[in-house]
Amino acid sequence: MKDLSSPIYPVIWENDRAVLIDQTRLPEEYTTVAISSSQEMAKAIKIMIVRGAPAIGVAAAYGMYLGAREIDSEDRTIFLAELEKTAQLLRQTRPTAVNLFWAISRMLKTAYETIASVAEIKTTLLQTARAIQAEDLQTCQAIGDNGISVLPKNPAKLNLLTHCNAGALATAGYGTALGVIRSAHTAGRLERVYADETRPRLQGAKLTAWECVQEGIPVTVISDNMAAHCMKLGKIDAVVVGADRIAANGDAANKIGTYSLAIVAAAHNIPFFVAAPLSTVDFELSDGSQIPIEERNPSEIYQIGQTVICPEGVEFYNPAFDVTPAKLITGIITEQGVVEPSQLKQYQILAAQKV
Ligand code: MRU
Protein backbone atom coordinates (compact mmCIF):
# COMPACT_ATOMS: atom_id res chain seq x y z
CA MET A 1 0.00 0.00 0.00
CA LYS A 2 1.12 3.53 -0.67
CA ASP A 3 1.27 5.95 2.24
CA LEU A 4 -1.23 8.52 0.96
CA SER A 5 0.50 11.40 2.73
CA SER A 6 3.88 10.94 0.98
CA PRO A 7 4.76 12.30 -2.46
CA ILE A 8 5.15 9.95 -5.42
CA TYR A 9 8.79 9.18 -6.31
CA PRO A 10 9.10 6.48 -9.00
CA VAL A 11 12.84 6.05 -8.38
CA ILE A 12 14.65 6.41 -5.07
CA TRP A 13 18.16 5.49 -4.00
CA GLU A 14 18.08 3.69 -0.68
CA ASN A 15 20.38 1.24 1.11
CA ASP A 16 22.83 1.14 -1.78
CA ARG A 17 20.27 0.19 -4.39
CA ALA A 18 17.61 1.80 -6.54
CA VAL A 19 14.01 1.21 -5.53
CA LEU A 20 11.41 1.59 -8.28
CA ILE A 21 7.65 1.82 -8.01
CA ASP A 22 6.46 -1.08 -10.16
CA GLN A 23 4.33 0.82 -12.68
CA THR A 24 3.21 -2.39 -14.38
CA ARG A 25 1.22 -3.28 -11.24
CA LEU A 26 -0.59 0.01 -10.66
CA PRO A 27 -3.34 0.72 -9.84
CA GLU A 28 -4.19 -2.80 -8.65
CA GLU A 29 -1.20 -3.00 -6.38
CA TYR A 30 1.39 -0.53 -5.05
CA THR A 31 4.69 -2.44 -4.91
CA THR A 32 8.33 -1.56 -5.28
CA VAL A 33 11.21 -3.41 -6.92
CA ALA A 34 14.78 -3.22 -5.61
CA ILE A 35 17.39 -2.92 -8.37
CA SER A 36 20.99 -3.85 -7.51
CA SER A 37 22.64 -4.30 -10.92
CA SER A 38 22.86 -2.56 -14.27
CA GLN A 39 21.33 -5.64 -15.97
CA GLU A 40 18.30 -5.45 -13.67
CA MET A 41 17.95 -1.73 -14.37
CA ALA A 42 18.10 -2.26 -18.14
CA LYS A 43 15.36 -4.88 -17.87
CA ALA A 44 13.22 -2.67 -15.61
CA ILE A 45 13.35 0.13 -18.19
CA LYS A 46 12.63 -2.23 -21.09
CA ILE A 47 9.61 -3.90 -19.51
CA MET A 48 8.37 -0.53 -18.23
CA ILE A 49 8.54 -1.05 -14.49
CA VAL A 50 9.83 2.50 -14.79
CA ARG A 51 8.63 4.58 -17.75
CA GLY A 52 8.10 8.17 -18.81
CA ALA A 53 10.98 10.07 -20.40
CA PRO A 54 12.52 11.93 -17.41
CA ALA A 55 12.01 8.95 -15.05
CA ILE A 56 13.77 6.71 -17.56
CA GLY A 57 16.65 9.22 -17.54
CA VAL A 58 16.90 9.13 -13.74
CA ALA A 59 16.73 5.32 -13.72
CA ALA A 60 19.43 5.10 -16.40
CA ALA A 61 21.69 7.40 -14.40
CA TYR A 62 21.47 5.03 -11.43
CA GLY A 63 21.91 2.13 -13.87
CA MET A 64 25.20 3.71 -14.95
CA TYR A 65 26.33 3.98 -11.35
CA LEU A 66 25.36 0.35 -10.73
CA GLY A 67 27.38 -0.62 -13.80
CA ALA A 68 30.35 1.38 -12.53
CA ARG A 69 30.12 -0.35 -9.18
CA GLU A 70 30.24 -3.76 -10.89
CA ILE A 71 33.62 -3.02 -12.50
CA ASP A 72 36.47 -4.69 -10.59
CA SER A 73 39.44 -3.00 -12.19
CA GLU A 74 41.24 -0.04 -10.61
CA ASP A 75 42.75 0.81 -13.98
CA ARG A 76 41.09 3.95 -15.34
CA THR A 77 41.29 2.93 -19.01
CA ILE A 78 39.79 -0.49 -18.37
CA PHE A 79 37.15 1.08 -16.11
CA LEU A 80 36.05 3.58 -18.78
CA ALA A 81 35.93 0.86 -21.45
CA GLU A 82 33.71 -1.28 -19.21
CA LEU A 83 31.50 1.69 -18.38
CA GLU A 84 30.94 2.25 -22.11
CA LYS A 85 29.53 -1.31 -22.21
CA THR A 86 27.03 -0.44 -19.47
CA ALA A 87 26.07 2.66 -21.44
CA GLN A 88 25.48 0.53 -24.50
CA LEU A 89 23.35 -1.95 -22.52
CA LEU A 90 21.15 0.85 -21.19
CA ARG A 91 20.89 2.63 -24.55
CA GLN A 92 19.35 -0.47 -26.08
CA THR A 93 16.33 -0.45 -23.77
CA ARG A 94 14.02 2.15 -25.31
CA PRO A 95 14.79 4.23 -28.41
CA THR A 96 12.46 7.24 -28.34
CA ALA A 97 12.83 9.05 -25.01
CA VAL A 98 15.95 11.16 -25.44
CA ASN A 99 16.29 11.68 -21.68
CA LEU A 100 17.67 8.13 -21.54
CA PHE A 101 20.54 9.03 -23.88
CA TRP A 102 20.96 12.44 -22.27
CA ALA A 103 21.41 10.95 -18.78
CA ILE A 104 23.80 8.26 -20.02
CA SER A 105 25.89 10.90 -21.84
CA ARG A 106 26.01 13.06 -18.74
CA MET A 107 27.15 10.12 -16.60
CA LEU A 108 29.82 9.14 -19.15
CA LYS A 109 31.03 12.72 -19.42
CA THR A 110 31.32 12.88 -15.64
CA ALA A 111 33.40 9.70 -15.61
CA TYR A 112 35.74 10.94 -18.35
CA GLU A 113 36.14 14.38 -16.77
CA THR A 114 36.81 13.13 -13.23
CA ILE A 115 40.58 12.90 -13.07
CA ALA A 116 40.86 10.76 -9.95
CA SER A 117 41.04 7.17 -8.79
CA VAL A 118 38.41 4.70 -10.00
CA ALA A 119 36.95 4.63 -6.49
CA GLU A 120 36.52 8.40 -6.57
CA ILE A 121 34.98 8.31 -10.03
CA LYS A 122 32.40 5.84 -8.73
CA THR A 123 31.55 8.17 -5.83
CA THR A 124 31.21 11.09 -8.23
CA LEU A 125 28.92 9.04 -10.48
CA LEU A 126 26.55 8.34 -7.61
CA GLN A 127 26.51 12.05 -6.77
CA THR A 128 25.76 12.86 -10.41
CA ALA A 129 22.85 10.40 -10.54
CA ARG A 130 21.45 11.98 -7.39
CA ALA A 131 21.92 15.44 -8.92
CA ILE A 132 20.07 14.41 -12.12
CA GLN A 133 17.19 13.23 -9.94
CA ALA A 134 17.12 16.37 -7.75
CA GLU A 135 17.37 18.69 -10.75
CA ASP A 136 14.48 16.94 -12.50
CA LEU A 137 12.26 17.48 -9.49
CA GLN A 138 13.05 21.21 -9.43
CA THR A 139 12.67 21.40 -13.20
CA CYS A 140 9.19 19.90 -13.06
CA GLN A 141 8.12 22.36 -10.39
CA ALA A 142 9.36 25.22 -12.58
CA ILE A 143 7.49 23.77 -15.57
CA GLY A 144 4.36 23.67 -13.42
CA ASP A 145 4.75 27.34 -12.43
CA ASN A 146 5.52 28.45 -15.98
CA GLY A 147 2.58 26.48 -17.32
CA ILE A 148 0.03 28.36 -15.22
CA SER A 149 1.03 31.65 -16.84
CA VAL A 150 0.02 30.50 -20.33
CA LEU A 151 -3.18 28.64 -19.58
CA PRO A 152 -6.32 30.42 -20.82
CA LYS A 153 -7.51 33.13 -18.41
CA ASN A 154 -11.14 32.16 -19.01
CA PRO A 155 -12.94 30.41 -17.53
CA ALA A 156 -11.58 30.93 -14.03
CA LYS A 157 -11.50 27.17 -13.48
CA LEU A 158 -10.25 25.12 -16.37
CA ASN A 159 -10.99 21.70 -17.74
CA LEU A 160 -7.68 20.33 -19.02
CA LEU A 161 -7.18 17.25 -21.15
CA THR A 162 -4.02 15.16 -20.97
CA HIS A 163 -2.77 12.02 -22.66
CA CYS A 164 -0.73 9.11 -21.31
CA ASN A 165 1.01 9.78 -17.99
CA ALA A 166 3.37 12.73 -17.76
CA GLY A 167 3.06 12.93 -14.00
CA ALA A 168 5.18 12.25 -10.94
CA LEU A 169 5.46 8.62 -12.02
CA ALA A 170 7.01 9.67 -15.33
CA THR A 171 9.59 12.03 -13.83
CA ALA A 172 11.65 12.28 -10.63
CA GLY A 173 8.37 13.45 -9.06
CA TYR A 174 5.68 16.13 -9.68
CA GLY A 175 5.44 15.67 -13.45
CA THR A 176 5.59 17.77 -16.59
CA ALA A 177 2.12 17.96 -18.18
CA LEU A 178 0.52 16.65 -15.02
CA GLY A 179 2.84 19.00 -13.12
CA VAL A 180 1.19 21.94 -14.91
CA ILE A 181 -2.20 20.46 -14.05
CA ARG A 182 -1.08 19.89 -10.44
CA SER A 183 0.08 23.52 -10.19
CA ALA A 184 -3.22 24.72 -11.68
CA HIS A 185 -5.05 22.65 -9.07
CA THR A 186 -2.96 24.11 -6.23
CA ALA A 187 -3.57 27.63 -7.58
CA GLY A 188 -7.35 27.03 -7.59
CA ARG A 189 -7.46 27.18 -11.41
CA LEU A 190 -8.46 23.59 -12.13
CA GLU A 191 -12.02 22.42 -12.49
CA ARG A 192 -11.13 18.93 -13.69
CA VAL A 193 -8.59 16.93 -15.64
CA TYR A 194 -9.77 14.70 -18.44
CA ALA A 195 -7.38 11.77 -18.81
CA ASP A 196 -7.31 9.87 -22.08
CA GLU A 197 -7.13 6.18 -21.25
CA THR A 198 -4.21 5.88 -23.74
CA ARG A 199 -4.42 2.61 -25.62
CA PRO A 200 -2.75 0.22 -25.78
CA ARG A 201 -1.00 0.28 -22.38
CA LEU A 202 -3.56 2.48 -20.65
CA GLN A 203 -1.13 4.78 -18.85
CA GLY A 204 -3.90 7.40 -18.62
CA ALA A 205 -6.57 5.13 -17.16
CA LYS A 206 -4.12 3.39 -14.85
CA LEU A 207 -1.35 5.81 -13.89
CA THR A 208 -2.66 9.35 -14.42
CA ALA A 209 -5.98 8.42 -12.82
CA TRP A 210 -4.13 6.80 -9.90
CA GLU A 211 -1.94 9.84 -9.32
CA CYS A 212 -4.94 12.17 -9.43
CA VAL A 213 -6.83 10.07 -6.92
CA GLN A 214 -3.75 10.05 -4.63
CA GLU A 215 -3.53 13.84 -4.79
CA GLY A 216 -7.23 14.67 -4.67
CA ILE A 217 -7.27 16.12 -8.21
CA PRO A 218 -10.72 15.76 -9.84
CA VAL A 219 -10.29 13.41 -12.80
CA THR A 220 -12.52 12.00 -15.52
CA VAL A 221 -11.15 9.15 -17.61
CA ILE A 222 -12.31 8.98 -21.22
CA SER A 223 -11.33 6.52 -23.90
CA ASP A 224 -9.10 8.00 -26.59
CA ASN A 225 -11.81 8.19 -29.24
CA MET A 226 -13.96 10.48 -27.06
CA ALA A 227 -11.66 13.51 -27.07
CA ALA A 228 -13.10 15.17 -30.20
CA HIS A 229 -16.64 14.73 -28.90
CA CYS A 230 -15.71 16.29 -25.54
CA MET A 231 -14.09 19.23 -27.34
CA LYS A 232 -17.13 19.76 -29.53
CA LEU A 233 -19.33 19.88 -26.44
CA GLY A 234 -17.06 22.60 -24.94
CA LYS A 235 -15.83 20.38 -22.15
CA ILE A 236 -12.11 21.05 -22.76
CA ASP A 237 -10.37 24.44 -22.34
CA ALA A 238 -6.82 23.35 -23.16
CA VAL A 239 -4.73 20.24 -23.81
CA VAL A 240 -1.45 19.68 -21.97
CA VAL A 241 0.77 16.71 -22.85
CA GLY A 242 4.35 15.64 -22.19
CA ALA A 243 7.04 14.69 -24.69
CA ASP A 244 9.64 11.99 -25.18
CA ARG A 245 11.78 13.87 -27.67
CA ILE A 246 11.39 17.28 -29.26
CA ALA A 247 13.30 18.14 -32.42
CA ALA A 248 15.00 21.52 -32.90
CA ASN A 249 12.06 22.83 -34.97
CA GLY A 250 9.57 22.00 -32.20
CA ASP A 251 8.09 18.80 -33.66
CA ALA A 252 7.34 16.69 -30.57
CA ALA A 253 7.21 12.92 -30.12
CA ASN A 254 4.90 11.71 -27.38
CA LYS A 255 2.72 8.70 -26.66
CA ILE A 256 0.84 7.34 -29.65
CA GLY A 257 -2.43 9.23 -30.05
CA THR A 258 -0.97 12.63 -29.16
CA TYR A 259 -0.85 13.68 -32.83
CA SER A 260 -4.54 12.97 -33.43
CA LEU A 261 -5.34 14.87 -30.23
CA ALA A 262 -3.43 17.89 -31.56
CA ILE A 263 -5.38 17.74 -34.83
CA VAL A 264 -8.75 17.66 -33.10
CA ALA A 265 -7.67 20.43 -30.69
CA ALA A 266 -6.71 22.63 -33.68
CA ALA A 267 -10.05 21.85 -35.34
CA HIS A 268 -11.81 23.19 -32.24
CA ASN A 269 -9.47 26.18 -31.64
CA ILE A 270 -8.35 24.71 -28.35
CA PRO A 271 -4.77 25.54 -27.23
CA PHE A 272 -2.42 22.57 -27.28
CA PHE A 273 0.64 22.72 -24.99
CA VAL A 274 3.64 20.42 -24.72
CA ALA A 275 5.32 20.47 -21.29
CA ALA A 276 8.87 19.11 -21.13
CA PRO A 277 12.29 19.80 -19.64
CA LEU A 278 15.08 21.02 -21.91
CA SER A 279 16.68 17.58 -21.49
CA THR A 280 13.85 16.31 -23.73
CA VAL A 281 14.89 18.58 -26.61
CA ASP A 282 17.21 16.93 -29.12
CA PHE A 283 18.83 19.87 -30.91
CA GLU A 284 20.77 17.44 -33.10
CA LEU A 285 17.57 16.55 -34.95
CA SER A 286 16.33 19.28 -37.26
CA ASP A 287 12.79 17.93 -37.43
CA GLY A 288 10.54 15.21 -36.06
CA SER A 289 10.94 12.84 -39.01
CA GLN A 290 14.35 11.91 -37.56
CA ILE A 291 12.98 10.82 -34.18
CA PRO A 292 13.21 7.03 -33.78
CA ILE A 293 9.82 5.56 -32.97
CA GLU A 294 9.73 2.51 -30.73
CA GLU A 295 7.60 -0.43 -31.85
CA ARG A 296 6.44 -2.68 -29.06
CA ASN A 297 5.10 -6.20 -28.80
CA PRO A 298 1.77 -6.76 -30.61
CA SER A 299 0.43 -8.46 -27.48
CA GLU A 300 -0.11 -4.95 -26.09
CA ILE A 301 -2.85 -4.60 -28.71
CA TYR A 302 -4.35 -8.08 -28.94
CA GLN A 303 -4.43 -8.73 -25.23
CA ILE A 304 -6.18 -6.82 -22.46
CA GLY A 305 -4.78 -8.21 -19.24
CA GLN A 306 -4.59 -11.94 -19.88
CA THR A 307 -7.57 -11.90 -22.27
CA VAL A 308 -6.91 -12.19 -26.02
CA ILE A 309 -9.38 -9.90 -27.84
CA CYS A 310 -8.50 -10.51 -31.52
CA PRO A 311 -8.93 -13.55 -33.74
CA GLU A 312 -5.91 -15.52 -34.90
CA GLY A 313 -4.51 -14.70 -38.35
CA VAL A 314 -4.47 -10.93 -37.84
CA GLU A 315 -1.40 -8.73 -38.28
CA PHE A 316 -0.55 -5.90 -35.89
CA TYR A 317 1.37 -2.65 -35.93
CA ASN A 318 2.21 -1.17 -32.54
CA PRO A 319 4.16 2.11 -32.68
CA ALA A 320 4.48 3.43 -29.11
CA PHE A 321 4.86 7.10 -30.07
CA ASP A 322 3.89 9.57 -32.76
CA VAL A 323 5.19 13.00 -33.74
CA THR A 324 3.05 16.10 -33.48
CA PRO A 325 4.14 18.75 -36.01
CA ALA A 326 5.27 22.04 -34.48
CA LYS A 327 2.53 23.95 -36.32
CA LEU A 328 -0.11 22.24 -34.16
CA ILE A 329 1.61 23.17 -30.87
CA THR A 330 0.56 26.44 -29.22
CA GLY A 331 3.50 26.54 -26.83
CA ILE A 332 6.27 24.44 -25.33
CA ILE A 333 6.39 24.80 -21.56
CA THR A 334 9.94 24.35 -20.23
CA GLU A 335 11.66 25.09 -16.94
CA GLN A 336 13.13 28.24 -18.52
CA GLY A 337 9.87 29.62 -19.83
CA VAL A 338 7.22 29.02 -22.47
CA VAL A 339 8.04 29.39 -26.14
CA GLU A 340 6.41 28.91 -29.48
CA PRO A 341 7.99 25.86 -31.14
CA SER A 342 9.75 28.07 -33.72
CA GLN A 343 11.53 29.89 -30.87
CA LEU A 344 12.88 26.75 -29.19
CA LYS A 345 16.40 27.27 -30.54
CA GLN A 346 16.88 30.20 -28.14
CA TYR A 347 17.38 27.57 -25.42
CA GLN A 348 20.05 25.56 -27.27
CA ILE A 349 23.00 27.02 -25.37
CA LEU A 350 21.25 26.66 -22.00
CA ALA A 351 20.38 23.02 -22.81
CA ALA A 352 23.98 22.26 -23.81
CA GLN A 353 25.20 23.53 -20.44
CA LYS A 354 23.10 20.89 -18.71
CA VAL A 355 24.85 17.88 -20.25
O1 MRU B 1 5.76 4.53 -23.06
P1 MRU B 1 5.82 5.46 -21.91
O2 MRU B 1 4.80 5.19 -20.86
O3 MRU B 1 7.22 5.59 -21.34
O4 MRU B 1 5.46 6.88 -22.55
C1 MRU B 1 5.42 8.02 -21.75
C2 MRU B 1 4.98 9.23 -22.46
O5 MRU B 1 4.71 9.22 -23.63
C3 MRU B 1 4.99 10.51 -21.68
O6 MRU B 1 3.99 11.37 -22.11
C4 MRU B 1 6.33 11.20 -21.87
O7 MRU B 1 7.39 10.32 -21.57
C5 MRU B 1 6.48 12.41 -21.05
S1 MRU B 1 6.71 12.01 -19.34
C6 MRU B 1 6.92 13.41 -18.45
Side-chain angles (χ1 to χ4, degrees):
M1 271 300 288
K2 161 112 180 54
D3 167 8
L4 293 185
S5 62
S6 70
I8 299 162
Y9 298 127
V11 184
I12 55 169
W13 184 259
E14 196 175 66
N15 299 331
D16 267 345
R17 68 228 203 300
V19 179
L20 309 180
I21 297 176
D22 187 346
Q23 300 193 37
T24 65
R25 314 278 300 183
L26 287 171
E28 296 91 343
E29 202 184 3
Y30 179 90
T31 50
T32 56
V33 182
I35 302 289
S36 307
S37 73
S38 54
Q39 288 281 351
E40 286 172 7
M41 187 61 94
K43 185 171 176 206
I45 295 171
K46 200 170 181 63
I47 66 173
M48 295 174 67
I49 286 174
V50 59
R51 34 68 50 202
I56 293 172
V58 172
Y62 283 118
M64 285 293 287
Y65 169 66
L66 289 167
R69 202 171 69 174
E70 287 152 15
I71 303 168
D72 270 342
S73 177
E74 292 299 321
D75 179 286
R76 181 186 164 80
T77 310
I78 296 174
F79 173 79
L80 290 173
E82 290 297 311
L83 194 62
E84 290 279 3
K85 289 185 193 162
T86 303
Q88 200 43 28
L89 169 79
L90 290 163
R91 281 190 199 109
Q92 281 161 359
T93 53
R94 297 197 69 190
T96 304
V98 77
N99 308 61
L100 173 83
F101 304 92
W102 173 87
I104 293 169
S105 295
R106 184 162 158 187
M107 293 293 283
L108 274 178
K109 188 167 178 253
T110 301
Y112 278 97
E113 287 179 355
T114 306
I115 308 300
S117 69
V118 165
E120 283 165 322
I121 300 176
K122 287 180 185 175
T123 305
T124 309
L125 285 175
L126 179 57
Q127 287 163 352
T128 306
R130 284 183 179 280
I132 288 173
Q133 181 172 26
E135 286 164 21
D136 187 66
L137 195 55
Q138 281 183 346
T139 294
C140 285
Q141 280 158 353
I143 289 172
D145 291 346
N146 291 338
I148 296 187
S149 66
V150 289
L151 291 175
K153 300 289 174 257
N154 289 305
K157 286 193 157 226
L158 299 166
N159 288 294
L160 301 175
L161 173 66
T162 192
H163 190 66
C164 193
N165 172 265
L169 286 167
T171 59
Y174 204 77
T176 55
L178 200 54
V180 173
I181 290 166
R182 193 172 260 125
S183 294
H185 177 61
T186 307
R189 294 237 37 225
L190 183 75
E191 179 68 28
R192 172 161 297 275
V193 52
Y194 282 81
D196 271 357
E197 67 170 354
T198 317
R199 280 280 288 153
R201 286 188 67 102
L202 306 174
Q203 289 95 327
K206 293 184 171 194
L207 305 178
T208 297
W210 180 80
E211 277 194 40
C212 289
V213 169
Q214 299 294 313
E215 310 255 332
I217 298 173
V219 57
T220 298
V221 175
I222 57 172
S223 64
D224 301 341
N225 49 4
M226 297 172 187
H229 179 70
C230 290
M231 289 179 189
K232 193 173 184 189
L233 294 184
K235 286 179 177 289
I236 309 296
D237 298 306
V239 180
V240 191
V241 298
D244 288 82
R245 195 184 294 225
I246 304 175
N249 72 340
D251 291 349
N254 191 48
K255 180 54 54 195
I256 191 77
T258 304
Y259 175 30
S260 41
L261 205 53
I263 292 171
V264 290
H268 293 88
N269 285 321
I270 291 171
F272 183 94
F273 295 102
V274 172
L278 290 181
S279 56
T280 300
V281 184
D282 188 345
F283 285 104
E284 287 180 11
L285 305 186
S286 56
D287 66 62
S289 67
Q290 297 158 29
I291 298 176
I293 300 294
E294 176 181 12
E295 277 185 47
R296 295 191 62 88
N297 196 302
S299 63
E300 291 182 352
I301 301 181
Y302 67 68
Q303 239 173 275
I304 294 187
Q306 295 310 307
T307 309
V308 174
I309 58 164
C310 301
E312 278 183 29
V314 182
E315 289 187 8
F316 297 93
Y317 172 49
N318 186 18
F321 301 95
D322 57 26
V323 178
T324 299
K327 65 175 184 224
L328 295 176
I329 299 172
T330 312
I332 299 179
I333 305 168
T334 76
E335 67 272 33
Q336 293 295 333
V338 185
V339 282
E340 286 179 19
S342 60
Q343 302 303 309
L344 196 55
K345 280 209 171 126
Q346 72 186 61
Y347 292 142
Q348 186 159 6
I349 292 170
L350 267 176
Q353 284 163 358
K354 294 191 172 203
V355 180

